[in-house]
């Protein structure tokens, strides 16, 4: 727990209570409540980096679960020294092991991200075997599972058999008509761990057996019939064996737990530390906090700072600076104006940053890490010690003056208050001078006008005030650095109804020097307000200009990206077309060579000639389709459309090239066309129908009809052409002769290469194996085949061959 009175004065303990609410483990909660600020820059940077890394991991992967992580160090130490743990204690060990494994698995799923927290995750050693052994063996704190061991399972099976045997015998007794008047109730119960029946006291001699118990009233005796005595004795023996076996299992599990005591202790300590770090990150999210830039040079620049303990809906953002242009900040202004909140915000955030906590500030804020932070805030008047308000403040200031140095931050509220104003102001200036000479960074609040003048006249001392709205008689809580505060007593009194002549008389009583000073302050305040308004307008215009520039750059980048993408697509398409053209030419030459050989062997030359013509025509079509260039034709100025356009027409657009009509012309003669990913509207005068595409469609239709007239194919194989719009990846050769099968397979292989297919399946069946051997010989000799194999289970096994192409 925090005991430093200066930290308590700044409400640092309340921040730790908020942090503790985000922690899951009891030990981690204690760590949170005792979190001490670092006094070195290196230590604070290490803690803050850990919080930043946890913040990033939370954003990308969600938070890990720390549920079930409990302190079992003492229990496992007992096990390590030979002790036997109870079932409840072992369940606690299992819970911790499960939580450790969960943390390790969570980090393993984070795509190998290396952070400052990685060593803590790597130090965790999952013990899955023991974890599962515990949870499969132990069902609850007082129940061991039957499957915990084979011996226990056998013992409990025997117990159930004996119990069933006894119940059957006793059921016959209680349901017998001979004993209907003897029994108190027709039930079977237990006394002294033995099965008995309740018998009326006056009939106890009518059932032979042993009296095990008597009811409180004495009207009922519980008799163990002689017929089940031996069976009950056997149960007692089995229960003893059960206890012994459970003790044996517990001893075995305890021994295994003791063997991993050191690894589990280290894993647990890493786990609770990670719980604390991720709690810091979660608190940062709840506060919408950012990481400040830390330094050890005394510079503080808090931008849009929000006190973390004030309702986020009510808190006012403020800017606080110290240490760069000035080392002492004197804050003046009326009561309830926000002076104390300002210095508390400054002090509290310095402690939070030193403890590795992110701050509720804007980005690029700066915070110095001090070796010591001193605060004299609030009324510590003590009746018991006979100390007045003034005395208690002076006591604190004496202590601060003795300890403060150049690495200290000193915060004093209402410096010099509680005594004569003249003496109090002089004392306040003297204290500030001494602290300033000792090199401390100081922020002090006061009502004394003398301190305003002191700040104006002294080097590296600056005035500040909390803004007050005269019209609404309420503070805005904004800290204005560089402008001394005004009391506004006259204005407030007059607005509240004090007679104007009284107010005027009060003004006359104020010294001329003080009046002049207040007028200067008023003039400064007006100038500041005007400059503030101008600055806000300039900031707004700058922001708008920056956003316009960013939008322009985004549009430019998008256009460049689209241009590059279209160029890459065009290059890839050109390479694909060239590659296919080369491949088709090679296939054509191979087929010519095959036809020459076929001509030498074939008896029917007319058949060979027909095959040759079909092959030449097929390759001619393929080469035409692949190598036909798409020309971006120019549109003649005197061109007129031969007919009205319809949606889907292929057209040539001047300066754009090939496109397709996606919407009919409007009243202005603008037609919508689509070219690739671009959709735009162009004038009808720039559009002409794509005659080449229409002629090509007609030629394709004519060639398809010619193929159907020439056509057919041998056997029952089926594979698609361009007319079908898809490519089959299997060919069925069953029922063909060897020659028919090889010719069909050859044509099918050509088609697969033409369409860029990497592999296909040949179905030849099992049968006598003749077709399978012929296919293998053909594939072995074909230089376009990369490899082939028989099908595996689920693919057709020996009835198919899987072919991979080069």
């Amino acid at each position: 727990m925090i005991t430093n009175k200066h930290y308590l004065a700044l409400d640092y303990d309340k921040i730790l209570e908020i942090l503790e609410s985000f922690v899951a483990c009891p030990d981690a909660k204690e760590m949170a409540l005792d979190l001490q600020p670092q006094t070195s820059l290196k230590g604070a940077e290490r803690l803050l980096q850990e919080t930043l890394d946890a913040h990033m991991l939370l954003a990308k992967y969600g938070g890990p679960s720390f549920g079930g992580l409990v302190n079992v160090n003492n229990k496992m130490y007992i096990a390590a020294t030979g002790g036997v743990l109870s079932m409840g204690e072992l369940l606690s060990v299992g819970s911790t092991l499960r939580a450790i494994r969960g943390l390790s698995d969570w980090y393993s799923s984070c795509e190998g991200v290396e952070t400052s927290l990685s060593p803590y995750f790597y130090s965790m050693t999952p013990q899955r075997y023991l974890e599962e052994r515990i949870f499969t063996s132990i069902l609850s704190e007082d129940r061991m599972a039957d499957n915990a061991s084979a011996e226990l399972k056998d013992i409990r099976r025997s117990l159930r058999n004996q119990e069933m045997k006894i119940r059957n015998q006793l059921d016959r007794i209680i349901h017998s008509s001979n004993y209907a008047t003897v029994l108190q109730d027709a039930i079977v119960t237990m006394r002294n761990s033995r099965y008995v029946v309740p018998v009326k006291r006056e009939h106890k001699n009518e059932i032979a057996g042993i009296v095990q118990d008597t009811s409180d009233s004495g009207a009922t005796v519980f008799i163990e019939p002689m017929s089940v005595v031996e069976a009950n004795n056997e149960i007692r023996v089995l229960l003893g064996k059960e206890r012994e076996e459970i003790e044996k299992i517990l001893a075995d599990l305890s021994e295994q737990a003791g063997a991993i005591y050191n690894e589990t202790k280290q894993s647990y300590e890493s786990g609770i530390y990670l719980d604390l770090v991720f709690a810091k990150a979660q608190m940062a999210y709840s506060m919408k906090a950012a990481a400040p830039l830390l330094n050890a040079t005394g510079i503080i620049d808090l931008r849009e700072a929000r006190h973390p303990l004030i309702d986020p809906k009510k808190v006012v953002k403020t800017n606080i600076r110290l240490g760069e242009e000035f080392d002492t900040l004197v804050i003046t202004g009326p009561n309830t104006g926000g002076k104390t909140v300002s210095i508390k915000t400054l002090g509290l955030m310095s402690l939070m940053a030193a403890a590795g906590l992110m701050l509720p500030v804007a980005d690029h804020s700066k915070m110095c890490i001090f070796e010591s932070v001193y605060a004299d805030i609030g009324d510590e008047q003590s009746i018991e010690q006979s100390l007045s308000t003034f005395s208690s403040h002076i006591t604190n200031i004496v202590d601060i003056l003795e300890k403060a140095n150049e690495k200290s931050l000193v915060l004093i509220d209402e410096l010099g208050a509680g005594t004569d104003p003249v003496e109090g102001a002089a004392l306040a200036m003297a204290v500030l001078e001494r602290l300033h000479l000792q090199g401390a960074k100081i922020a002090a609040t006061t009502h004394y006008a003398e301190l305003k003048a002191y700040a104006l006249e002294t080097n590296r001392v600056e005035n500040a005030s909390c803004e007050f709205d005269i019209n609404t008689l309420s503070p805005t809580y904004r800290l204005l650095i560089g402008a001394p505060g005004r009391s506004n007593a006259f204005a407030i009194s007059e607005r509240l109804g004090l007679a104007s002549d009284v107010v005027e008389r009060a003004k006359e009583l104020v010294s001329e020097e003080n009046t002049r000073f207040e007028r200067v302050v008023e003039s400064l305040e007006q100038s500041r307000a005007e400059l503030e308004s101008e600055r806000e307008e300039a900031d707004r215009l700058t922001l708008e200009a920056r956003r316009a520039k960013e939008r322009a750059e985004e549009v430019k980048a998008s256009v460049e990206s689209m241009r590059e993408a279209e160029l890459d697509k065009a290059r890839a398409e050109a390479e694909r077309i060239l590659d296919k053209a080369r491949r088709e030419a090679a296939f054509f030459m191979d087929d010519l060579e095959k036809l020459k050989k076929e001509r030498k062997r074939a008896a029917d030359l007319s058949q060979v000639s027909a095959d040759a013509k079909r092959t030449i025509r097929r390759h001619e079509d393929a080469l035409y389709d692949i190598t036909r260039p798409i020309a971006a034709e120019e549109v003649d100025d005197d061109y007129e459309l031969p007919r009205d356009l319809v949606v889907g027409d292929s057209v040539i657009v001047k300066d754009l090239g090939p496109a397709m009509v996606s919407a009919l012309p409007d009243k202005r003669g603008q037609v919508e066309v689509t070219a690739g990913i671009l959709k735009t509207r162009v004038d009808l005068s720039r559009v002409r129908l794509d005659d080449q595409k229409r002629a090509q469609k007609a030629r394709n239709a004519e060639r398809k009809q010619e193929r159907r007239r020439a056509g057919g194919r041998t056997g029952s194989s089926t594979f698609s052409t361009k007319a079908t719009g898809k490519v089959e990846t299997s060919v069925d050769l069953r029922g063909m002769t060897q020659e028919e099968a090889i010719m069909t397979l050859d044509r099918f292989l050509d088609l697969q290469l033409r369409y860029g297919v990497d592999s296909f399946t040949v179905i030849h069946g099992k049968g006598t194996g003749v077709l399978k051997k012929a296919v293998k010989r053909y594939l072995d000799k074909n230089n376009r085949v990369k490899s082939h194999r028989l099908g595996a289970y689920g693919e057709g096994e020996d009835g198919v061959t899987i072919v991979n192409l080069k």
Side-chain angles (χ1 to χ4, degrees):
M1 297 294 290
I2 297 298
T3 57
N4 186 310
K5 67 177 182 179
H6 301 288
Y7 296 176
L8 294 174
L10 294 169
D11 296 326
Y12 179 64
D13 56 318
K14 295 178 181 177
I15 291 295
L16 297 187
E17 289 174 4
I18 296 175
L19 176 62
E20 184 256 353
S21 67
F22 290 98
V23 176
C25 309
D27 286 355
K29 287 181 179 289
E30 291 185 12
M31 292 172 62
L33 293 174
D34 194 37
L35 181 62
Q36 298 292 333
Q38 295 290 307
T39 57
S40 69
L41 176 62
K42 187 176 181 180
E45 286 179 334
R46 175 181 61 82
L47 294 183
L48 186 58
Q49 186 59 52
E50 290 175 350
T51 305
L52 274 172
D53 288 340
H55 196 266
M56 177 272 294
L57 291 172
L58 278 176
K60 290 187 69 174
Y61 307 105
S65 173
F66 296 92
L69 193 62
V70 294
N71 190 344
V72 292
N73 292 340
N74 291 337
K75 298 179 178 65
M76 295 191 72
Y77 178 76
I78 292 172
T81 55
V84 177
L85 303 181
S86 67
M87 286 187 275
E89 290 171 332
L90 283 168
L91 285 174
S92 298
V93 172
S95 175
T96 296
L97 294 179
R98 177 178 288 173
I100 290 170
R101 180 171 60 84
L103 290 171
S104 180
D105 290 347
W106 178 85
Y107 189 67
S108 298
S109 68
C110 291
E111 303 172 355
V113 177
E114 291 292 327
T115 69
S116 61
L117 300 177
S118 297
Y120 296 102
F121 284 104
Y122 292 149
S123 68
M124 293 186 172
T125 308
Q127 303 287 345
R128 186 162 192 160
Y129 171 77
L130 180 57
E131 171 203 333
E132 292 181 348
R133 176 81 194 284
I134 289 174
F135 285 115
T136 55
S137 299
I138 304 174
L139 302 178
S140 66
E141 293 186 1
D142 55 4
R143 179 65 178 171
M144 183 75 72
D146 292 353
N147 293 326
S149 72
E151 292 81 359
L152 183 62
K153 187 174 183 179
D154 292 339
I155 291 171
R156 287 186 171 170
R157 186 187 300 112
S158 299
L159 269 172
R160 285 191 292 271
N161 291 337
Q162 286 295 332
E163 289 171 349
M164 188 177 297
K165 181 179 177 181
I166 291 174
R167 283 190 171 276
N168 288 337
Q169 291 180 0
L170 294 181
D171 279 347
R172 285 196 293 270
I173 293 176
I174 63 176
H175 292 108
S176 172
S177 58
N178 296 332
Y179 297 106
T181 59
V182 174
L183 298 175
Q184 190 72 264
D185 294 296
I187 60 171
V188 175
T189 184
M190 293 192 75
R191 287 294 186 274
N192 301 324
S193 301
R194 303 177 76 88
Y195 287 95
V196 297
V197 293
V199 180
K200 296 176 181 177
R201 183 176 186 82
E202 59 270 22
H203 298 290
K204 66 178 181 178
N205 294 325
E206 297 184 27
I207 295 181
I210 302 171
V211 176
Q212 292 292 345
D213 198 6
T214 305
S215 66
D216 292 338
S217 63
T220 305
V221 293
F222 298 95
I223 296 177
E224 177 187 7
M226 294 303 297
S227 58
V228 299
V229 170
E230 286 301 321
N232 270 327
N233 289 340
E234 181 63 24
I235 286 178
R236 296 293 291 272
V237 171
L238 289 172
L239 288 173
K241 291 182 178 180
E242 181 188 36
R243 285 191 297 272
E244 291 175 1
E245 183 59 26
I246 290 175
E247 286 296 322
K248 181 180 176 182
I249 295 169
L250 292 176
D252 180 46
L253 292 174
S254 299
E255 182 181 359
Q256 293 183 50
I260 59 170
Y261 165 66
N262 291 325
E263 295 92 331
T264 306
K265 185 173 183 290
Q266 175 63 47
S267 299
Y268 173 74
E269 290 172 353
S270 296
I272 59 173
Y273 185 75
L274 287 170
D275 188 9
L276 176 61
V277 174
F278 276 91
K280 292 180 182 179
Q282 289 174 332
M283 187 173 80
Y285 271 111
S286 71
M287 290 182 176
K288 299 180 181 178
L293 304 175
L294 303 183
N295 65 83
T297 57
I299 296 176
I300 298 173
D301 184 7
L302 300 178
R303 304 180 181 185
E304 299 182 7
R306 310 178 304 278
H307 195 290
L309 297 178
I310 298 178
D311 186 346
K313 297 178 181 178
K314 298 179 180 179
V315 68
V316 177
K317 299 175 183 178
T318 188
N319 298 321
I320 305 175
R321 292 182 288 113
L322 183 64
E324 192 165 10
E325 302 166 5
F326 47 88
D327 301 321
T328 301
L329 189 64
V330 178
I331 305 174
T332 53
N335 288 327
T336 70
K339 303 190 303 298
T340 303
V341 171
S342 296
I343 63 172
K344 273 194 168 187
T345 300
L346 174 59
L348 182 56
M349 290 195 179
S350 71
L351 296 177
M352 291 173 64
L357 297 171
M358 296 169 68
L359 308 180
V361 295
D363 291 335
H364 309 299
S365 294
K366 300 175 184 177
M367 175 55 73
C368 175
I369 301 302
F370 296 97
E371 288 187 356
S372 54
V373 176
Y374 302 109
D376 177 41
I377 298 174
D379 185 359
E380 297 183 10
Q381 180 171 328
S382 171
I383 297 175
E384 188 175 317
Q385 297 180 7
S386 301
L387 293 176
S388 66
T389 300
F390 177 74
S391 299
S392 65
H393 282 303
I394 292 300
T395 301
N396 287 336
I397 289 173
V398 169
D399 182 57
I400 292 171
L401 287 172
E402 290 176 353
K403 298 176 181 178
N405 55 36
E406 68 278 1
K407 295 182 179 180
S408 300
L409 174 65
V410 178
L411 308 167
I412 304 177
D413 188 30
E414 297 297 346
L415 180 59
T419 187
D420 178 75
V422 175
E423 294 181 354
L427 191 60
M429 282 189 286
V431 170
L432 289 179
E433 283 182 356
R434 171 59 64 86
L435 290 172
H436 187 64
L437 289 174
Q438 292 177 198
K441 301 295 181 288
I442 312 151
T445 69
T446 183
H447 282 289
Y448 295 135
E450 291 84 350
L451 289 182
K452 303 176 189 177
Y454 168 77
L456 289 172
E457 297 168 354
T458 308
N459 186 38
R460 296 193 67 79
V461 180
E462 185 61 88
N463 269 308
S465 61
C466 288
E467 191 176 49
F468 190 87
D469 190 338
I470 293 295
N471 296 321
T472 62
L473 297 181
S474 61
T476 65
Y477 300 105
R478 292 178 60 209
L479 183 66
L480 306 176
I481 295 177
R486 301 173 59 207
S487 67
N488 298 306
F490 296 154
I492 293 173
S493 300
E494 193 167 9
R495 286 188 62 84
L496 291 176
L498 187 63
S500 58
D501 57 332
V502 176
V503 174
E504 290 300 323
R505 176 57 182 159
K507 290 179 180 179
E508 294 173 1
L509 294 175
V510 175
S511 66
E512 182 63 25
E513 181 180 350
N514 189 67
T515 302
R516 286 199 303 271
F517 182 80
E518 287 295 325
R519 287 173 182 169
V520 170
V521 171
E522 183 178 2
S523 176
L524 286 173
E525 177 64 18
Q526 291 175 352
S527 299
R528 184 206 60 77
E530 292 173 0
L531 289 173
E532 182 77 12
S533 177
E534 292 175 1
R535 187 186 65 80
E536 289 177 356
E537 179 65 15
D539 289 345
R540 184 185 65 79
L541 294 174
T542 302
L543 180 61
E544 289 180 359
R546 186 183 299 116
R547 288 175 177 170
K549 180 182 177 183
E550 290 173 354
R551 286 195 296 270
E553 289 176 348
E554 287 175 2
V555 171
K556 180 181 177 183
S558 176
V559 170
E560 287 293 329
S561 176
M562 290 171 59
R563 176 176 172 274
E564 289 299 324
E566 287 298 317
L567 287 175
D568 290 343
K569 184 178 178 182
R571 292 189 193 103
E573 183 66 14
E575 291 175 2
R576 186 185 66 80
I577 290 172
L578 182 59
D579 182 62
K580 283 196 173 184
R582 288 171 178 164
R583 189 185 300 170
E584 288 294 335
F587 294 160
F588 179 56
M589 297 303 297
D590 288 345
D591 285 345
L592 284 179
E593 290 297 323
K594 290 178 183 177
L595 289 172
K596 288 178 182 178
K597 295 176 182 178
E598 288 290 336
R599 183 180 179 189
K600 295 175 183 178
R601 297 196 301 265
D604 187 357
L605 293 179
S606 62
Q607 179 62 37
V608 174
S609 176
D611 288 343
K613 289 180 180 179
R614 284 196 295 272
T615 301
I616 291 170
R617 188 178 299 112
R618 174 162 55 85
H619 287 289
E620 178 188 0
D621 292 346
L623 287 169
Y624 183 87
D625 290 343
I626 291 172
T627 60
R628 173 183 173 266
I630 300 175
E633 301 181 19
E634 293 295 324
V635 179
D636 298 332
D637 292 336
D638 57 351
Y639 174 81
E640 292 185 5
L641 290 169
R643 60 172 174 80
D644 292 339
L645 294 175
V646 296
V647 175
D649 273 345
S650 296
V651 295
I652 300 292
V653 181
K654 186 176 182 179
D655 300 328
L656 183 62
M660 184 183 73
V661 176
S662 53
L664 296 177
D666 56 19
K667 295 179 180 179
R668 297 179 299 168
Q670 298 281 318
V671 61
E672 184 181 279
V673 297
T674 301
I677 63 171
L678 178 65
K679 180 179 286 188
T680 184
R681 300 191 75 85
V682 298
D683 195 270
L684 272 175
S685 61
R686 297 175 56 194
V687 178
R688 62 166 287 178
L689 285 169
D690 189 352
D691 297 327
Q692 283 193 6
K693 283 199 175 182
R694 287 187 294 155
Q696 177 64 20
K697 289 179 181 178
R699 286 196 296 272
N700 288 344
E702 183 179 347
R703 285 171 181 157
K704 290 172 187 174
Q705 291 177 358
E706 184 180 346
R707 291 190 188 113
R708 283 196 290 270
R709 289 195 297 270
R713 55 180 175 77
T714 58
S716 60
S717 67
T718 59
F719 51 88
S720 66
T721 66
K722 277 189 173 182
T724 64
K726 70 172 186 176
V727 179
E728 294 291 339
T729 56
S730 64
V731 57
D732 191 351
L733 307 180
R734 291 175 294 184
M736 300 183 189
T737 64
Q738 289 188 50
E739 291 75 14
E740 291 173 340
I742 296 305
M743 185 176 294
T744 301
L745 175 58
D746 186 68
R747 288 203 306 272
F748 186 79
L749 188 146
D750 288 345
L751 187 65
Q752 301 305 297
L753 286 168
R754 180 175 170 185
Y755 283 97
V757 176
D758 295 325
S759 65
F760 62 89
T761 302
V762 181
I763 305 172
H764 44 63
K766 298 180 180 178
T768 61
V770 174
L771 268 184
K772 178 171 70 174
K773 292 176 182 177
V775 168
K776 183 178 185 303
R777 285 194 300 271
Y778 170 79
L779 295 175
D780 286 339
K781 296 177 181 179
N782 197 311
N783 59 7
R784 295 172 292 176
V785 175
K786 181 179 180 181
S787 64
H788 62 87
R789 61 175 176 81
L790 291 175
Y793 178 76
E795 294 178 328
E797 302 181 17
D798 293 348
V800 301
T801 296
I802 309 300
V803 182
N804 295 313
L805 300 177
K806 291 182 179 178

